[in-house]
Amino acid sequence: MRFNTLFLLLGLSWLCLALAQVSYDDCCLKYVKKMSHNIQKHAVKYRVQETDGGCNIRAVIFTMRRGRVFCTDPRESWVIELRKKLDKRSNKGPNRINRARG
């Protein structure tokens, strides 16, 4: 009986630790201050991190060609401009929808 109780407590402890670690896995904890234009050219996509769950700062996370990620302050002017460039770049191509025709 003691072995079963110990096994159950150990299993629950492991499960709690595993679930807690997942919530912090993809969060940015600090910002990159600057990013040179040469590095900005390699950005292929971005996503926005909101302050919910385990993430405690709002951030824009840029992914580069080789998979490297940079966490940036969404209020910075260069971040806003880079987001606009990536949005324009993603709208180009054969599957583009012309929204002006409406």
Side-chain angles (χ1 to χ4, degrees):
M1 184 68 165
R2 287 183 182 169
F3 179 73
N4 289 340
T5 306
L6 180 63
F7 183 72
L8 178 66
L9 288 174
L10 207 71
L12 286 174
S13 299
W14 177 80
L15 183 64
C16 289
L17 287 173
L19 290 175
Q21 188 173 6
V22 170
S23 65
Y24 294 104
D25 208 19
D26 291 334
C27 288
C28 290
L29 302 176
K30 62 181 179 176
Y31 300 130
V32 170
K33 300 289 184 200
K34 295 180 183 179
M35 189 184 301
S36 72
H37 290 288
N38 289 335
I39 294 174
Q40 289 182 22
K41 290 190 294 187
H42 296 288
V44 291
K45 63 182 180 178
Y46 71 90
R47 66 182 174 89
V48 177
Q49 170 183 292
E50 298 295 338
T51 55
D52 59 350
C55 304
N56 61 355
I57 63 170
R58 191 162 186 273
V60 175
I61 304 167
F62 290 103
T63 304
M64 302 299 148
R65 287 186 188 145
R66 294 189 179 177
R68 190 168 180 192
V69 293
F70 290 97
C71 299
T72 59
D73 186 350
R75 297 168 294 189
E76 294 282 339
S77 60
W78 66 270
V79 174
I80 296 167
E81 290 300 316
L82 184 54
R83 286 179 66 181
K84 287 179 184 177
K85 286 179 186 177
L86 289 175
D87 288 340
K88 280 184 184 179
R89 203 182 300 167
S90 68
N91 286 334
K92 292 181 180 177
N95 295 330
R96 189 176 118 186
I97 299 171
N98 190 351
R99 298 180 185 184
R101 290 185 189 171

